[in-house]
Amino acid sequence: MTVALKEDYQRAFDEQKKEVRELVMAGLEQVKEGKTKEFNIVCDRLEKKYKDEAISN
């Protein structure tokens, strides 16, 4: 049972890492397109999203 929980946790963790990478790449694309002036703004939005999500879980 412990092994199954570790596998589930690892799968969820890997999925979150993938989602974060995709969001960062989308943020970089927004910067390149001139939709936002600073990458820090994009990072701040991501940080807020994941802090809020962690609290809600």
Side-chain angles (χ1 to χ4, degrees):
M1 183 155 166
T2 303
V3 173
L5 289 174
K6 286 182 181 179
E7 289 175 1
D8 287 345
Y9 174 80
Q10 188 63 46
R11 233 177 281 128
F13 183 72
D14 291 342
E15 187 63 33
Q16 284 182 337
K17 286 192 321 186
K18 180 181 173 186
E19 183 180 343
V20 168
R21 279 194 295 272
E22 290 172 357
L23 290 169
V24 169
M25 294 308 293
L28 284 171
E29 193 62 35
Q30 287 177 354
V31 171
K32 288 179 186 176
E33 292 173 357
K35 292 182 179 178
T36 186
K37 294 182 183 196
E38 285 192 41
F39 188 63
N40 287 339
I41 294 169
V42 174
C43 292
D44 289 343
R45 285 193 307 233
L46 287 171
E47 185 177 1
K48 182 181 181 330
K49 175 184 178 186
Y50 280 94
K51 278 184 178 179
D52 291 347
E53 186 173 300
I55 292 169
S56 67
N57 287 335

